[in-house]
Amino acid sequence: MVSTQTTIGDFHFDNCLMNAAGVFCMTKDELAAIEQSAAGSFVTKTGTLTKREGNPKPRYADTALGSINSMGLPNFGYQYYLDYVIDLQKQDGSKPHFLSVVGMSPEETHHILKAVQASDYQGLVELNLSCPNVPGKPQIAYDFETTQNILQEVFTYYQKPLGLKLPPYFDMVHFDQAAQIFNQFPLTFVNCINSIGNGLVIEDEQAVIKPKNGFGGIGGDYVKPTALANVHAFYQRLKPSIRIVGTGGVKSGRDAFEHILCGASMVQLGTVLHQEGPEVFTRITAELKAIMKIKGYENLADFRGKLRYIND
């Protein structure tokens, strides 16, 4: 019997597929739709200290090869999502969940995580390091000194399962440097990748989104090779206790298969979920199982991380 079950830390999931943060997760109704779908779990919209309206619209556009967005972290505040996942975990048959959070400053991030630590929430938390820290500074995870400092302080008080949402890295030295930092801490997972930042899509003579004069994060087909590279680079470098969540360019069972082959324990759907809705989990799960059956794989461990190389 072919199974797509998986584990992250001490949590068991009946299916390795789930949504990506930012897609079908803004409201409780959207999260409930993912909960009731074939997905193995959901991650909430990245919650900030207080509610945010986000950037002016249009801030998302589908494109020929994926999507572009500059959302600006619209959300109802972390407490909205924390209350919801706490309520869900009290229900029989509830799936394990991921609560995504970030502060607009290190101080806000610590405030949020201390509140989660003090709460009744028993699930996973994803700290989103792939958004700006302060104006004029790079994404947090591109600032290795800031990343190290934040994690050092977080783990002085945070004792629940914690993972990181990462931007794409493009240099082997950066994979090495990032992994050297992450391996110092009791992280449960890393999520590779968020969208590739600051792309520009044009129709006729005009940018297709309004914020930042059209600059936005690229997702979909464009990003799959970069996502696979990040998944595999960190699978090779991180200690085995830190699992990999693969995100980027997944719109078929074959795409999910490749993420797992590169080392992913779970796979998130973003652009395709936005385009097709929660029923997409049924389709992609069936496609993934069909590939596994053809290849004689009964479970994900049979091929996770076993990418073959062309040898001389």
Side-chain angles (χ1 to χ4, degrees), residues 18-84:
M18 60 182 291
N19 68 305
V23 186
F24 241 91
C25 59
M26 180 73 170
T27 68
K28 293 178 183 178
D29 287 345
E30 288 179 333
L31 290 167
I34 303 297
E35 176 82 354
Q36 294 157 17
S37 75
S41 180
F42 68 61
V43 58
T44 66
K45 189 78 175 71
T46 298
T48 50
L49 186 61
T50 57
K51 179 180 178 180
R52 288 176 56 89
E53 296 297 329
N55 290 336
K57 298 178 180 179
R59 56 195 185 188
Y60 174 95
D62 288 318
T63 68
L65 293 173
S67 64
I68 183 171
N69 82 87
S70 180
M71 302 299 291
L73 279 177
N75 73 94
F76 291 113
Y78 82 93
Q79 194 69 52
Y80 173 92
Y81 303 104
L82 179 59
D83 290 344
Y84 182 62

Side-chain angles (χ1 to χ4, degrees), residues 3-18 39-42 95-98 124 245 265-266 300:
S3 170
T4 58
Q5 295 179 4
T6 192
T7 58
I8 300 281
D10 294 330
F11 296 88
H12 176 83
F13 303 88
D14 289 337
N15 190 3
C16 63
L17 301 180
M18 60 182 291
S41 180
F42 68 61
K95 303 171 182 177
H97 303 115
F98 293 75
L124 293 141
V245 178
S265 291
M266 292 195 79
L300 304 190

Side-chain angles (χ1 to χ4, degrees), residues 217-232:
I218 298 294
D221 291 1
Y222 306 102
V223 309
K224 191 179 81 166
T226 299
L228 294 178
N230 277 255
V231 168
H232 196 55

Side-chain angles (χ1 to χ4, degrees), residues 112-127:
I112 294 168
L113 287 177
K114 286 177 180 178
V116 176
Q117 174 65 36
S119 75
D120 293 331
Y121 179 57
Q122 300 300 319
L124 293 141
V125 168
E126 176 181 276
L127 176 59

